[in-house]
Amino acid sequence: MWELYFEKSLILLILGWHIQFSETTYPWLEQVARQEDLTLGCENLSSTYRQMPNVSQLSHILVDHVHKLLYCYVPKVACTNWKRVMMVLTGQSNVTSLVSIPSNLAHANSSTVRLSDLSKEEAHKILREYTLFLIARHPFERLLSAYRNKFEDNITSSKYFQARYGKHIIKKYRPKASDDDLNSGANVSFPEFITFLLNEGVETNEHWTPIFNLCFPCALNYTFIGHYETMAQDAKTILDMVDAPPLVFPVTRAGRTRDRLRDYFQQLSIFNIEHLYKKYFLDFKLFRYGLEDLLGYELA
Ligand SMILES: *[C@@H]1O[C@H](CO)[C@@H](O)[C@H](O)[C@H]1NC(C)=O
Ligand SMILES: *[C@@H]1O[C@H](CO)[C@@H](O)[C@H](O)[C@H]1NC(C)=O
Ligand SMILES: *[C@@H]1O[C@H](CO)[C@@H](O)[C@H](O)[C@H]1NC(C)=O
Ligand SMILES: *[C@@H]1O[C@H](CO)[C@@H](O)[C@H](O)[C@H]1NC(C)=O
Ligand SMILES: *[C@@H]1O[C@H](CO)[C@@H](O)[C@H](O)[C@H]1NC(C)=O
Ligand SMILES: *[C@@H]1O[C@H](CO)[C@@H](O)[C@H](O)[C@H]1NC(C)=O
Ligand SMILES: *[C@@H]1O[C@H](CO)[C@@H](O)[C@H](O)[C@H]1NC(C)=O
């Protein structure tokens, strides 16, 4: 354990040195702790969890050959802005202000090369040589953010979710649904959404699929683990690491999702919260998140 700690510290110190350690105030000890929790958490899992995925499963990893940078995008974790960054880094866009890239363009499959587009040999070579990072977020906050964005917001992109999932959820999980609700699929409640996830699985859409299943953190060697909570600082550190041109990472207005977490989760039974926790267990454990804030205690 101490040996491992020492080894990681040393690596990160060297890394810190490389990016002009003296100039940066990045809290490397926090990064060491994140890496250590990930390594120890993964070592504890059976080898199937650490198995190298097929290249076709690596469709969430975006490739920047210019800066030798790989980003595993996780929906609902500032991924639109990071996709914009990747477009600028790879020369797909020349804008000076990142937010001027329309979000539908940033999300287009063609905006950036994906690791799954490459041959197995090339993908493995790149994984060994490039800087690989992801940004994690509290699993329940991410889930709530997805629910609010897709089922509460009255925006064009939520229409797809209401038609694709909303109608189904209301039909299946609301005993006496009105015809209006059945036809629009628009007002799925949070408990209904959670019942759907618990019954039909959390991998039904990338917006609520656990990070573990999108990014394979125990099979791939992540160079850097960012957190949503420290997004601006982490973005700067990552961009410095690969000598990216000066880019101002858009600071998204701190959402109110965290404050709302309690309000929404209070609508669920403790049984369902525990059940849901088990579904996102790896994301909680591997990325240092807990339920203390929400419940006042941790689930074992
Ligand atoms: C490893 O698993 C055991 C039991 O399953 C648990 O007690 C221990 O805390 C875990 N260690 C880490 C680092 O997660
Ligand atoms: C990965 O590839 C192997 C061999 O090509 C195949 O048997 C397996 O089903 C694939 N797994 C997935 C999840 O696609
Ligand atoms: C970006 O600018 C360069 C030089 O001005 C130009 O050659 C390139 O086509 C531009 N790329 C895009 C995507 O507009
Ligand atoms: C984008 O790529 C994903 C994963 O490869 C695929 O499932 C999806 O259908 C693609 N979307 C479009 C519009 O091509
Ligand atoms: C990750 O690092 C270990 C140890 O250096 C190495 O054995 C393994 O092949 C690497 N995995 C990938 C996917 O590059
Ligand atoms: C959603 O927006 C449309 C117009 O874009 C409007 O007609 C509709 O009444 C709105 N629905 C709700 C529930 O606010
Ligand atoms: C859904 O919306 C309809 C009208 O827009 C309303 O009558 C109904 O109570 C709503 N149901 C829920 C569960 O919010």
Side-chain angles (χ1 to χ4, degrees):
M1 158 108 182
W2 280 106
E3 236 168 47
L4 181 77
Y5 179 80
F6 185 71
E7 201 175 286
K8 283 264 179 187
S9 309
L10 203 62
I11 291 167
L12 285 158
L13 266 174
I14 293 163
L15 206 60
W17 187 262
H18 182 66
I19 65 156
Q20 287 140 2
F21 195 52
S22 55
E23 268 180 35
T24 169
T25 52
Y26 189 78
W28 286 102
L29 276 180
E30 169 64 19
Q31 185 59 216
V32 171
R34 288 180 194 173
Q35 295 277 357
E36 192 185 312
D37 274 19
L38 178 59
T39 309
L40 292 177
C42 291
E43 278 175 0
N44 227 4
L45 296 172
S46 78
S47 62
T48 43
Y49 291 90
R50 286 177 272 145
Q51 207 163 34
M52 187 65 185
N54 290 344
V55 171
S56 64
Q57 294 170 276
L58 301 177
S59 61
H60 278 67
I61 300 186
L62 306 181
V63 183
D64 165 15
H65 289 298
V66 184
H67 303 89
K68 297 191 186 301
L69 182 65
L70 298 172
Y71 163 50
C72 183
Y73 77 88
V74 178
K76 304 318 297 171
V77 193
C79 92
T80 311
N81 282 333
W82 270 110
K83 283 179 172 178
R84 289 171 167 145
V85 169
M86 294 301 280
M87 285 180 74
V88 172
L89 291 181
T90 55
Q92 297 295 306
S93 171
N94 275 339
V95 297
T96 47
S97 166
L98 287 169
V99 289
S100 62
I101 301 176
S103 67
N104 60 346
L105 199 60
H107 288 297
N109 276 354
S110 56
S111 72
T112 312
V113 173
R114 290 155 191 252
L115 211 50
S116 54
D117 297 334
L118 307 178
S119 71
K120 185 178 169 186
E121 291 67 30
E122 198 181 353
H124 282 225
K125 180 171 184 286
I126 282 174
L127 277 170
R128 279 193 306 274
E129 295 175 358
Y130 288 13
T131 298
L132 172 63
F133 77 99
L134 62 76
I135 315 287
R137 184 179 186 180
H138 187 292
F140 284 179
E141 265 182 54
R142 181 174 160 238
L143 192 57
L144 180 55
S145 172
Y147 166 75
R148 289 177 48 80
N149 180 230
K150 303 305 178 196
F151 296 104
E152 282 191 349
D153 290 353
N154 191 14
I155 50 175
T156 323
S157 70
S158 58
K159 293 281 173 277
Y160 164 80
F161 280 81
Q162 291 162 9
R164 173 73 179 77
Y165 300 99
K167 289 181 188 182
H168 166 76
I169 293 172
I170 290 173
K171 184 161 179 249
K172 197 154 171 195
Y173 301 107
R174 188 178 302 173
K176 289 187 185 116
S178 69
D179 285 345
D180 275 359
D181 289 355
L182 280 170
N183 289 332
S184 75
N187 63 1
V188 170
S189 71
F190 188 59
E192 285 167 348
F193 174 60
I194 297 304
T195 304
F196 158 72
L197 292 183
L198 293 179
N199 280 312
E200 301 183 34
V202 290
E203 288 186 60
T204 36
N205 184 280
E206 62 166 11
H207 287 81
W208 45 81
T209 296
I211 298 175
F212 187 87
N213 304 74
L214 298 174
C215 297
F216 308 96
C218 290
L220 308 178
N221 296 324
Y222 278 85
T223 323
F224 191 92
I225 306 294
H227 275 192
Y228 188 78
E229 295 75 14
T230 51
M231 183 163 41
Q233 197 174 32
D234 289 349
K236 188 177 181 314
T237 307
I238 292 159
L239 294 170
D240 281 350
M241 276 168 83
V242 296
D243 288 327
L247 272 174
V248 180
F249 190 84
V251 182
T252 32
R253 185 177 50 85
R256 295 196 42 229
T257 306
R258 171 148 284 193
D259 300 338
R260 291 193 177 105
L261 206 57
R262 234 171 230 280
D263 296 343
Y264 281 85
F265 277 78
Q266 267 166 4
Q267 303 168 26
L268 308 178
S269 67
I270 187 69
F271 175 80
N272 276 356
I273 293 179
E274 283 176 6
H275 196 168
L276 199 60
Y277 177 78
K278 286 194 185 118
K279 300 264 185 198
Y280 290 92
F281 179 75
L282 292 174
D283 283 9
F284 274 105
K285 281 295 165 213
L286 300 177
F287 301 117
R288 294 162 67 78
Y289 289 108
L291 284 181
E292 186 85 63
D293 282 3
L294 183 66
L295 299 175
Y297 58 91
E298 284 301 337
L299 288 174

